[in-house]
Amino acid sequence: MKSKEEEIIGLMSSEKTRDKGVRLMMDAYQSRLYWHIRRIIVDHNLAQDVLQETFIKAYQNFHQFKRDSQLYTWLYRIATNESLQQLNKLKRMQKTDEDVEYHLQNLVADNASSDAEEIQILLQKAIHTLPEKQKLVFTMRYYEDLPYEDISKILDMSVGTLKTNYHYAKQKVEDYIKQNYKE
């Protein structure tokens, strides 16, 4: 029996079945892509917009999918690029770190009901302090448990560089949490 990915690729490859293929692709990857995007973007509404743009780009550019990687790797790359473009747009619109800090402080005030939630908020704050590449590598590896080889294809970086970035990111996150966690 064909795998889900092979079925999607088959449907997307034909004009007649492309719409069915994109619906199946969305069903299969929507949740994973949303959380990948959400960890980069943070804001739910913006993440939804980026997710929608990701699927639109995948639909419009499916002819460029070379099949030298898995479909989800290709989709993650599109989602990552769309997320980074959105972040750059926000920077151009002069979103400042104070806005993000204010937002995160409101999250703390709204959600400070348990230690687990406090640690999750600290984790998000720690991730936010990371340089862009470390942030991407950390979220893909930590949250999505993607193999370095897949992340390498998505970000177009060597596996050695990714491992180094992940190591430094993990250390910075641990240090941040240790310094800021109040028992």
Side-chain angles (χ1 to χ4, degrees), residues 8 40 80 168:
I8 293 167
I40 298 169
T80 300
Y168 286 125

Side-chain angles (χ1 to χ4, degrees), residues 1-172:
M1 183 174 215
K2 284 170 130 183
S3 75
K4 178 78 93 184
E5 189 164 294
E6 290 170 345
E7 182 181 359
I8 293 167
I9 291 169
L11 291 169
M12 292 288 292
S13 297
S14 168
E15 265 319 303
K16 294 177 184 174
T17 58
R18 183 166 290 162
D19 289 345
K20 184 177 179 181
V22 81
R23 283 192 298 275
L24 193 59
M25 181 173 60
M26 289 172 71
D27 288 344
Y29 298 109
Q30 187 167 358
S31 180
R32 287 172 67 189
L33 288 173
Y34 168 78
W35 286 108
H36 168 65
I37 294 165
R38 178 77 187 265
R39 289 182 188 101
I40 298 169
I41 299 290
V42 179
D43 181 83
H44 166 72
N45 293 326
L46 287 176
Q48 290 282 45
D49 292 346
V50 171
L51 178 64
Q52 189 173 29
E53 277 301 310
T54 299
F55 284 121
I56 290 169
K57 289 261 170 90
Y59 180 83
Q60 292 173 338
N61 299 302
F62 191 77
H63 62 280
Q64 294 177 342
F65 176 58
K66 295 182 181 107
R67 300 182 190 190
D68 56 353
S69 65
Q70 292 182 334
L71 180 61
Y72 84 87
T73 304
W74 184 68
L75 290 170
Y76 269 63
R77 185 171 195 137
I78 294 170
T80 300
N81 289 338
E82 288 298 310
S83 298
L84 292 175
Q85 286 178 1
Q86 182 65 39
L87 287 177
N88 287 334
K89 247 188 246 181
L90 291 174
K91 286 177 186 174
R92 283 193 304 271
M93 292 169 52
Q94 298 189 358
K95 282 284 186 190
T96 62
D97 286 342
E98 292 88 31
D99 292 337
V100 173
E101 192 62 35
Y102 175 78
H103 175 68
L104 289 172
Q105 285 174 351
N106 283 342
L107 280 176
V108 171
D110 292 344
N111 295 314
S113 60
S114 74
D115 284 345
E117 288 179 21
E118 183 180 344
I119 290 172
Q120 280 301 315
I121 291 167
L122 272 175
L123 178 60
Q124 290 304 314
K125 283 184 171 184
I127 293 168
H128 179 72
T129 66
L130 296 173
E132 203 64 49
K133 284 189 180 183
Q134 287 180 9
K135 186 186 306 183
L136 288 171
V137 172
F138 184 84
T139 57
M140 287 182 195
R141 187 79 178 138
Y142 180 80
Y143 285 112
E144 319 205 11
D145 201 26
L146 290 176
Y148 285 113
E149 291 74 20
D150 290 349
I151 300 171
S152 173
K153 290 176 186 170
I154 293 167
L155 298 179
D156 197 24
M157 295 169 70
S158 73
V159 171
T161 302
L162 291 172
K163 287 180 178 180
T164 301
N165 274 290
Y166 182 73
H167 172 77
Y168 286 125
K170 192 172 100 175
Q171 190 61 51
K172 289 176 184 176

